[in-house]
Amino acid sequence: MGEPTTVSRADGWRQRVNGWLFGFFVLTSSLFGTLYFFLPFVPLMFLAPRIWRQYIDRLSGYWTYVTAGMIRLLFGVKTRVIGDKIEAEEMALYIMNHRTSLDWLFFWNALYQQDPRLTDSQKVILKSSEKYLPGGGWAMQCNSFIFLERNFQKDKMKIRQLLDYYTDIGNSYQLLLFPEGTDRCPKGALRNERYAAKMDLKPYSYVLHPRTKGFVYIVQEMRRSGKLKAIYDITVGYKDKIVQKETDIVFEGLAPQDVHFQIIRIPIEQLPDDDRQLVEWIEKRWANKEEKLRQFYEAPRGETFENTPQGAEYELTPDAERMSSLGIIACAGGTVLWMLGLLPFSSMFSWFSFCGVLFYLIVPVLFGGVEFLAIEGLRFSKGWTKQKRAD
């Protein structure tokens, strides 16, 4: 049977309008949040960095499950989650195949169905170009995501700094990594076929061969902290259709309705210590994932992943659904009321907005991003506390 059809054109205007509504919500809410809910609290980076981190994580988590709710409400996306329970209190690494550039968006629903707290504690590794997006990119900087330039010598320094920050701030985070490096779009698949032929590797039909150097470095760096408890091997599959790009959901209103996730927890003690053996380990996991996806796509529409060791299924509870719906109403309504309330102070409002935009444009130039300014804030706070104790 193979994968379902990849679609890129809407059937009618109703789909497109839903996409435009979703895009408008994401853009306005992220802009509004970064300018008026994040920016006024930037001094906390230096005065109380742990309070800053908790505040940003909580608000970002709230926005995440509201956005996931919009996906369900506007596009009818149904997410089926089977496997192991993710523990919100432990530091962990997620590794997931990257079929489309929207996998992370649907994964938010999977996290929310397991435990809404997981939307607070998730961090993502993604392309450096994403950090400059107005609103969304600024929010991801504030959320201390890891942005990579695909230059290992430069990237490994950033990875180490952010992982040390996660440890020093004292919270347990789960970091999402796509070891394939890019989604399996037609160009990515073609490049991977050429790479497999060059390296005499088995060609894959459902995944890309993983980039092992970054994976090994991240695992070893997270181990160095002594807090890494597990790796969660996550497989995503789409039963009804493939929607490849973010522009397809925003401009065409396209989204799959039948998304499946399998989650398998591997305690860190079960991973090899040696770098070479880690390379072999991830390559074997991806070979297994290729076979797993082949079976998934050959199975009838109503069936999910086979051979799940802990086959528990996590469904969205009525209380979680109700909380998400109320969150959408509160977020959308609150944004409108806030804007109407600021109209009498439009001059001050405009100047603050202008200064906020300048902040998000200048900080990446001076510090590399808000995520690195937060690191400087933590260092300043530690130095000030140490000096105060000495006095």
Side-chain angles (χ1 to χ4, degrees), residues 28-63:
T28 55
S29 61
S30 59
L31 277 172
F32 219 74
T34 51
L35 289 174
Y36 310 117
F37 287 91
F38 286 3
L39 190 62
F41 296 92
V42 163
L44 288 177
M45 282 186 191
F46 298 86
L47 302 177
R50 288 177 176 80
I51 294 177
W52 158 265
R53 186 74 271 140
Q54 291 170 1
Y55 173 74
I56 297 300
D57 289 345
R58 183 76 282 272
L59 258 66
S60 297
Y62 175 79
W63 184 86

Side-chain angles (χ1 to χ4, degrees), residues 65-80:
Y65 71 67
V66 166
T67 304
M70 289 284 286
I71 292 292
R72 295 192 303 272
L73 179 67
L74 289 175
F75 306 109
V77 176
K78 302 295 183 184
T79 306
R80 191 168 177 185

Side-chain angles (χ1 to χ4, degrees), residues 31-171:
L31 277 172
F32 219 74
T34 51
L35 289 174
Y36 310 117
F37 287 91
F38 286 3
L39 190 62
F41 296 92
V42 163
L44 288 177
M45 282 186 191
F46 298 86
L47 302 177
R50 288 177 176 80
I51 294 177
W52 158 265
R53 186 74 271 140
Q54 291 170 1
Y55 173 74
I56 297 300
D57 289 345
R58 183 76 282 272
L59 258 66
S60 297
Y62 175 79
W63 184 86
T64 295
Y65 71 67
V66 166
T67 304
M70 289 284 286
I71 292 292
R72 295 192 303 272
L73 179 67
L74 289 175
F75 306 109
V77 176
K78 302 295 183 184
T79 306
R80 191 168 177 185
V81 187
I82 189 169
D84 293 320
K85 178 75 166 58
I86 299 172
E87 300 298 333
E89 294 81 10
E90 67 179 15
M91 182 174 284
L93 177 67
Y94 301 142
I95 53 173
M96 184 162 71
N97 62 303
H98 204 0
R99 180 58 189 86
T100 79
S101 59
L102 291 164
D103 298 329
W104 54 272
L105 182 60
F106 305 125
F107 184 52
W108 287 352
N109 268 320
L111 293 176
Y112 186 67
Q113 284 180 208
Q114 277 218 342
D115 185 345
R117 294 177 301 166
L118 292 169
T119 60
D120 296 0
S121 56
Q122 57 116 20
K123 304 296 177 188
V124 185
I125 298 176
L126 63 171
K127 296 181 294 185
S128 61
S129 58
E130 305 286 344
K131 76 188 300 177
Y132 303 106
L133 295 172
W138 301 345
M140 289 187 285
Q141 289 182 49
C142 291
N143 211 13
S144 290
F145 284 5
I146 300 177
F147 300 92
L148 302 183
E149 299 178 24
R150 295 184 179 177
N151 179 317
F152 184 68
Q153 293 306 314
K154 293 181 180 179
D155 288 339
K156 68 179 185 179
M157 184 180 300
K158 295 179 181 179
I159 292 168
R160 171 172 283 196
Q161 286 180 292
L162 268 300
L163 291 179
D164 286 345
Y165 172 73
Y166 296 160
T167 301
D168 292 344
I169 210 70
N171 297 338

Side-chain angles (χ1 to χ4, degrees), residues 182-253:
T182 187
D183 60 294
R184 199 177 188 280
C185 60
K187 288 183 179 179
L190 180 60
R191 285 196 301 266
N192 199 249
E193 287 176 9
R194 292 171 178 170
Y195 172 77
K198 180 181 177 181
M199 303 301 293
D200 195 25
L201 299 172
K202 180 182 178 180
Y204 287 154
S205 299
Y206 301 104
V207 297
L208 305 177
H209 287 277
R211 299 184 178 190
T212 58
K213 184 183 292 185
F215 166 76
V216 170
Y217 182 78
I218 289 168
V219 170
Q220 300 294 40
E221 282 298 304
M222 293 183 78
R223 269 178 162 166
R224 184 171 57 86
S225 71
K227 294 188 177 182
L228 178 62
K229 301 300 182 184
I231 287 182
Y232 288 90
D233 183 3
I234 300 165
T235 306
V236 58
Y238 301 89
K239 278 290 189 181
D240 62 317
K241 58 176 171 275
I242 302 290
V243 179
Q244 194 68 46
K245 301 177 293 184
E246 289 96 339
T247 51
D248 293 335
I249 194 171
V250 172
F251 295 113
E252 295 292 327

